[in-house]
Amino acid sequence: MKKFLVLLLVLAALAPAFADDAKVLPKGVLRLTFVFASNSFDQSYDPDGEAQNSDYGKVTALALGTALEYGVTDQIAAAVQWTPAYVISSSFENDPVPTSDANANGLADLFIGAKVQVIGANGFIPNEMIRLAFAAGALVPLDNPDWPGEVAKALSAEDYKASSPSNQAMGLGFRAYFDWVLSKMFYLNLYNQSIFYLPVTKSQFNPFDTTEHEYKYGYKLTFETEPHFDYSFSDKVSLSAGVPVTFTMTPEVVVDGTGNGKPTHILTVSPSASVFVMAFIPFELKAGYTLPLLGKNADAASTLVFQLKTFLKF
């Protein structure tokens, strides 16, 4: 019965990385991004960092995402990113309730923010070899599950929702981007994202307790480095490739003043490649794959991501 009490599905791995470099869209350029992501795992890292078989067997999830970004000036871009926007399908090989099918479908958090290039070719401080940008924004939770209702479905042998793509907590975030441009074909990117969650009062999927409690998720810190390669076949077609290495960490979750004693971290590598085509409507196609390298109290999830970006000039 312990499986009912905690159901961890790290859907954060489904969230594709958007514009982790220090570039900013030119003034009047609109970029619309569509994303498909497939995530799966059958192992989780324990408190000692050892990979163990998941209590839930193989867990899979499919998600769609989108983003709308606009160059307000040559130094400032505004963005609305929904990544993933919606988990459309998910499954657990070993369902917590054997007579029902569990899922983790639903709406993910919406990011609203702005990015400013301080140093760069078009930055406030012109420089051809260094790009430095900062962004600030908010994570708005959209998913609001009826957990007592989902518990009732599970106990009635109906399909039910056991986890959410969102922790239902409002987040305030800050991002920092740094590019060291070594040549026209190569640059090294450093990236940080810091999210601080506000306390939230809610219930969880738990047949033994459907009452509301105060949850404090604290923060979520992401650090990333990426060697990035660009090559132009012509003035209309170019190829890009990168290998981001990402470290993400969170503190223990505090419920009604008591910590769960499970801080998390995970290190991943995500090779990707993309092609940009200067057509009537310029577009970019990108494919990437994320692999876990090590972690603690985290799911060893692998993620396949496809992106389509289109560009319009106003």
Side-chain angles (χ1 to χ4, degrees), residues 21 23 31 131 183-187 226-234 236-244 270-277 283-288 307 309 311:
D21 57 46
K23 299 176 183 177
R31 177 166 61 198
R131 292 191 292 258
S183 70
K184 291 183 178 180
M185 297 175 58
F186 181 81
Y187 67 85
E226 176 191 0
H228 188 92
F229 173 82
D230 292 311
Y231 179 77
S232 295
F233 291 99
S234 67
K236 294 185 179 297
V237 180
S238 61
L239 176 70
S240 297
V243 187
S270 307
S272 66
S274 64
V275 58
F276 175 82
V277 178
F283 67 90
E284 180 182 7
L285 292 172
K286 182 178 180 180
Q307 292 183 4
K309 299 179 181 180
F311 300 81

Side-chain angles (χ1 to χ4, degrees), residues 275-300:
V275 58
F276 175 82
V277 178
M278 181 60 76
F280 175 71
I281 297 180
F283 67 90
E284 180 182 7
L285 292 172
K286 182 178 180 180
Y289 191 73
T290 297
L291 288 168
L293 299 178
L294 56 85
K296 176 181 178 181
N297 295 322
D299 298 321

